[in-house]
Amino acid sequence: MHDQIRLTDEVADALAEGRPVVALESTIISHGMPYPRNVEMAREVEAIVRSQGAVPATIAVLGGVPRVGLAPDDLELLGSDPDVVKVSVRDLPFVVARGLHGATTVAATMRLASLAGIRVFVTGGLGGVHRGAQQSFDVSADLTELGRTSVAVVSAGVKSILDIGLTLEMLETLGVPVLVNGADEFPSFYSRSSGFAAPMRVDGPEETAAVLRAKWSLGLPGGVVVANPIPVDDEIPAAEIGGIIERALADADRLGVTGKDITPYLLGRIVEITGGASLTANIALVKNNAWFGAAVAAAYADR
């Protein structure tokens, strides 16, 4: 483990003893939801992970120090401080050198989790190829990180604001296994359907953990995408959310929102258009992923 990363005693002890640990990102706290619901969600997700016998390890950079495992006050800071920087892998050196507070994206969380020795990471939605990437070349660093870093990422699929088909094609090119839990169709974040077949189906945490063991025991580096569809009662049907996303994308284009600002803008705008329904769905899917991810971590640790 890199000596510049600070682990809580709880996380360090669990890793040393081979007990299950689940990494959690912090961008969803600082840039994904409004305060104070973001902090409430973070605490609820940590509690869900604990209820399944795993140790939660929320990851962030605080005062220039990469942290694996946070205290309640740290979660409050991430959720309420407007100066918290959104940090991907490329940003880590700058944020660390400047002593800034940073909320880690999927890519940066994966990298820090791997350095700490954590194999399972839970998030809401996965980044990917943006719509119109043929012209903009806007492709999330989440994908290249999945191609190189050996961490399983449990999500509700690719964020539906993205080009799901191109994202799946790129994951195939990068050699990343894409598993879908309990369904034959790949989910699309708010919805259980996307129009794309599940590349590989697994049923339950034990089957998922078996694939992780097989991949890494073969010496095959890189991550695994574990798509866990949003529960039926919580989803927003694809036909309904599709038009809302198109409206949000048009608004972003009109305002000239691009780069690392585009995803937070779109998610916030969709919350506005849906009158909060998308936020409710987002929280539900994150909790569902936390439960499943903790079960996968426990199954993987039980060797």
Side-chain angles (χ1 to χ4, degrees):
M1 185 187 67
H2 201 286
D3 59 8
Q4 292 188 30
I5 300 173
R6 185 183 301 170
L7 278 64
T8 60
D9 290 343
E10 180 187 28
V11 171
D13 290 346
L15 289 171
E17 296 166 8
R19 292 186 283 119
V21 178
V22 174
L24 302 167
E25 63 151 305
S26 46
T27 294
I28 194 172
I29 304 171
S30 63
H31 295 82
M33 296 182 185
Y35 180 81
R37 194 65 190 95
N38 51 1
V39 178
E40 295 170 2
M41 177 276 304
R43 291 173 177 159
E44 290 166 357
V45 166
E46 288 198 348
I48 291 169
V49 171
R50 292 185 193 283
S51 74
Q52 299 304 306
V55 172
T58 301
I59 294 177
V61 180
L62 298 179
V65 179
R67 302 272 294 274
V68 179
L70 301 179
D73 287 348
D74 299 328
L75 297 177
E76 188 73 24
L77 183 153
L78 286 167
S80 60
D81 189 335
D83 295 325
V84 174
V85 181
K86 182 179 178 182
V87 180
S88 190
V89 173
R90 68 164 189 178
D91 309 304
L92 281 169
F94 182 85
V95 172
V96 168
R98 293 294 184 93
L100 303 176
H101 297 322
T104 52
T105 63
V106 167
T109 304
M110 281 187 72
R111 183 68 65 91
L112 293 174
S114 178
L115 290 172
I118 301 172
R119 289 290 204 178
V120 177
F121 162 38
V122 165
T123 186
L126 189 66
V129 180
H130 282 256
R131 302 185 191 196
Q134 298 93 328
Q135 287 76 42
S136 69
F137 288 88
D138 192 349
V139 178
S140 172
D142 296 357
L143 301 188
T144 50
E145 199 63 29
L146 277 159
R148 64 165 66 101
T149 299
S150 299
V151 171
V153 182
V154 179
S155 73
V158 176
K159 293 185 179 76
S160 47
I161 57 177
L162 305 175
D163 190 315
I164 295 174
L166 291 183
T167 300
L168 291 173
E169 289 288 350
M170 186 166 182
L171 286 167
E172 180 182 2
T173 299
L174 292 169
V176 178
V178 177
L179 315 179
V180 179
N181 176 46
D184 294 319
E185 186 173 0
F186 188 81
S188 60
F189 195 59
Y190 300 116
S191 309
R192 294 178 62 85
S193 62
S194 67
F196 296 93
M200 305 169 195
R201 174 172 174 157
V202 290
D203 290 287
E206 290 78 14
E207 286 191 7
T208 304
V211 175
L212 306 186
R213 286 194 206 98
K215 175 179 169 63
W216 295 324
S217 66
L218 287 167
L220 299 174
V224 177
V225 171
V226 182
N228 186 43
I230 185 173
V232 174
D233 292 342
D234 297 308
E235 76 167 328
I236 302 175
E240 179 181 340
I241 197 68
I244 293 168
I245 291 170
E246 292 295 339
R247 180 177 165 188
L249 285 165
D251 290 342
D253 185 59
R254 176 174 52 82
L255 295 171
V257 182
T258 59
K260 65 193 303 183
D261 297 325
I262 186 68
T263 296
Y265 171 81
L266 290 172
L267 293 177
R269 183 69 182 117
I270 291 168
V271 171
E272 293 175 354
I273 296 171
T274 61
S278 65
L279 178 60
T280 300
N282 195 349
I283 292 169
L285 66 85
V286 171
K287 291 180 179 180
N288 188 49
N289 293 344
W291 180 89
F292 186 71
V296 170
Y300 183 78
D302 185 20
R303 289 181 270 189

